[in-house]
Amino acid sequence: MSSRADRLAERLAERELDLMVATNLVNVRYLSGYTGSNGAAIVGPDLRVFFTDFRYVEQAAEQVPDFERVKGERDLLGDVAQRLRGRVGFEDGSMTVRAFERLRGLIDDEVELVAAGNLVEDLRAVKEREEIEAIRAAAQLADTALAAVLERGLAGRTERAVAFDLESEMRRLGAEEPSFPSIVASGPNGALPHAEPTDGEIPRGVLVTIDWGARLDGYCSDCTRTYATGDLNGEAAEVYETVRRAQASSSDAVRAGAGGKAVDAVSRDIIGDAGHGDHYGHGLGHGVGMEIHEQPRLAPTSEDTLEAGMVVTVEPGIYVPGELGVRIEDLVVVTDDGREVLSGLPKELQTV
Ligand code: ZN
Ligand code: ZN
């Protein structure tokens, strides 16, 4: 884990920061390896300090060997404040206003707190090899779980029953938890991108969108497939094919150096040309890692540029209000010479 703190320390100089204090537990875990629920870390060019309270002292001794370890009070800010000096970056995206005010009251006058933006999140966006392997394993587990659920069919079961089945299957296969609440949305419910599964029975002859993921070894997967439960009307099949083409073309556009806005535009042009521009209201994709939504973003407003090692979703969709929805989502790794798709399930329209 020390190499991550080293990389952060290098970035501090670029931002004219002396230290960075991490209190967001995801960032603390990323930097230090600590998985407990109370911890903080300070990183500087020559400083690696980790703070936790007595409950986690033994755990930290095992997980955080590369940091000086401090046993503090339950509220760690007082202990953290004592070690701050100079210009100190803090996580303005996640620190609460209350914690910020409290920290400001605890530091002495020579310490300046500076909003660090996405300093650690930007590091997290470019994955190490082991992180990609963890995400790959999570994606494979999720694929296996859905395949098992589909064997039991979709039509005649409720959306909630299918979602529950899928989540228990993921846990049975060893997932820590689903990486987010599973979406199972049939017929008109599919027109809601973030539909919650209902107690309604899934009928025959409709589309069913399933968006699910597993968390394994601290890393998330994210995938969406849309299935038919019988013969579809012409529009549904046509919408499906449009989304499939948009997904394939924008996935092919993922490569190092490509802009998040440009890759998004590939999908948006295809869907727009098919007359569904107004039915595609969300961005094409997002980074995935320790959290389900991370940097970078693939979207019309994105200013991110893809780099080798980033893991992003490619998930265009068409949502026709009151009628139907289709989304197809893959997890894609940006590689040195292109991309690798981690989601293994077929994308041709399948009838379940
Ligand atoms: Zn998803
Ligand atoms: Zn997603």
Side-chain angles (χ1 to χ4, degrees):
M1 299 299 159
S2 61
S3 66
R4 296 176 182 173
D6 293 347
R7 281 194 284 140
L8 174 59
E10 283 166 25
R11 299 255 178 130
L12 293 179
E14 297 165 16
R15 301 279 292 271
E16 295 176 340
L17 294 171
D18 296 301
L19 300 173
M20 169 91 197
V21 55
T23 49
N24 173 333
L25 283 169
V26 181
N27 289 342
V28 171
R29 177 174 183 171
Y30 178 77
L31 293 169
S32 71
Y34 170 76
T35 60
S37 66
N38 192 28
I42 299 176
V43 171
D46 310 305
L47 198 66
R48 307 280 185 277
V49 194
F50 173 82
F51 304 82
T52 190
D53 68 69
F54 78 98
R55 294 170 297 167
Y56 297 103
V57 166
E58 282 185 47
Q59 180 179 343
E62 266 181 41
Q63 294 182 329
V64 196
D66 300 332
F67 282 57
E68 173 193 341
R69 293 183 303 279
V70 175
K71 184 177 89 172
E73 298 298 314
R74 207 49 102 93
D75 177 353
L76 300 169
L77 287 180
D79 302 281
V80 166
Q82 287 180 24
R83 301 296 294 270
L84 299 181
R85 57 176 168 75
R87 279 170 56 84
V88 177
F90 73 97
E91 297 152 319
D92 54 305
S94 55
M95 185 179 270
T96 62
V97 174
R98 183 186 296 179
F100 175 76
E101 294 295 352
R102 181 162 147 66
L103 185 59
R104 204 162 55 170
L106 288 163
I107 54 178
D108 61 48
D109 292 347
E110 290 98 80
V111 177
E112 185 189 352
L113 291 175
V114 181
N118 291 326
L119 208 47
V120 181
E121 285 81 359
D122 286 346
L123 286 179
R124 279 169 43 197
V126 178
K127 270 69 182 176
E128 296 155 10
R129 200 172 45 82
E130 309 86 80
E131 296 185 285
I132 293 172
E133 291 316 310
I135 297 168
R136 183 198 310 280
Q140 282 171 353
L141 185 153
D143 281 358
T144 306
L146 185 71
V149 170
L150 293 179
E151 297 245 314
R152 299 191 268 277
L154 292 175
R157 305 168 81 188
T158 68
E159 293 173 350
R160 275 165 60 102
V162 172
F164 181 75
D165 191 10
L166 181 52
E167 296 187 350
S168 5
E169 195 66 42
M170 287 194 278
R171 284 184 185 271
R172 204 179 60 76
L173 291 167
E176 288 155 24
E177 58 183 352
S179 49
F180 58 92
S182 309
I183 295 171
V184 177
S186 61
N189 293 344
L192 308 169
H194 279 187
E196 284 177 27
T198 68
D199 284 320
E201 248 183 37
I202 300 172
R204 294 224 166 265
V206 297
L207 290 169
V208 185
T209 298
I210 303 178
D211 189 348
W212 81 110
R215 183 190 298 275
L216 189 61
D217 291 331
Y219 284 82
C220 299
S221 75
D222 189 5
C223 184
T224 306
R225 289 292 182 269
T226 301
Y227 296 98
T229 58
D231 288 338
L232 297 173
N233 66 33
E235 191 203 9
E238 201 180 297
V239 166
Y240 187 91
E241 275 314 301
T242 302
V243 174
R244 191 165 79 93
R245 270 195 300 124
Q247 203 280 334
S249 298
S250 47
S251 182
D252 287 347
V254 168
R255 59 179 166 73
K261 181 178 175 155
V263 178
D264 174 275
V266 173
S267 67
R268 213 157 293 280
D269 287 349
I270 292 172
I271 289 173
D273 287 347
H276 287 291
D278 291 343
H279 299 149
Y280 176 23
H282 58 74
L284 174 66
H286 54 88
V288 175
M290 297 170 83
E291 290 182 293
I292 189 66
H293 293 114
E294 297 196 350
Q295 311 289 340
R297 291 189 322 121
L298 310 179
T301 53
S302 172
E303 293 176 3
D304 299 326
T305 302
L306 294 177
E307 290 176 48
M310 288 178 167
V311 177
V312 295
T313 67
V314 176
E315 50 177 309
I318 293 178
Y319 311 90
V320 184
E323 289 184 40
L324 58 89
V326 174
R327 182 167 63 256
I328 302 173
E329 172 179 29
D330 275 347
L331 258 183
V332 180
V333 187
V334 186
T335 61
D336 288 325
D337 51 3
R339 75 211 59 80
E340 186 196 353
V341 177
L342 298 182
S343 312
L345 296 173
K347 280 165 281 192
E348 297 82 38
L349 182 58
Q350 293 192 314
T351 302
V352 175

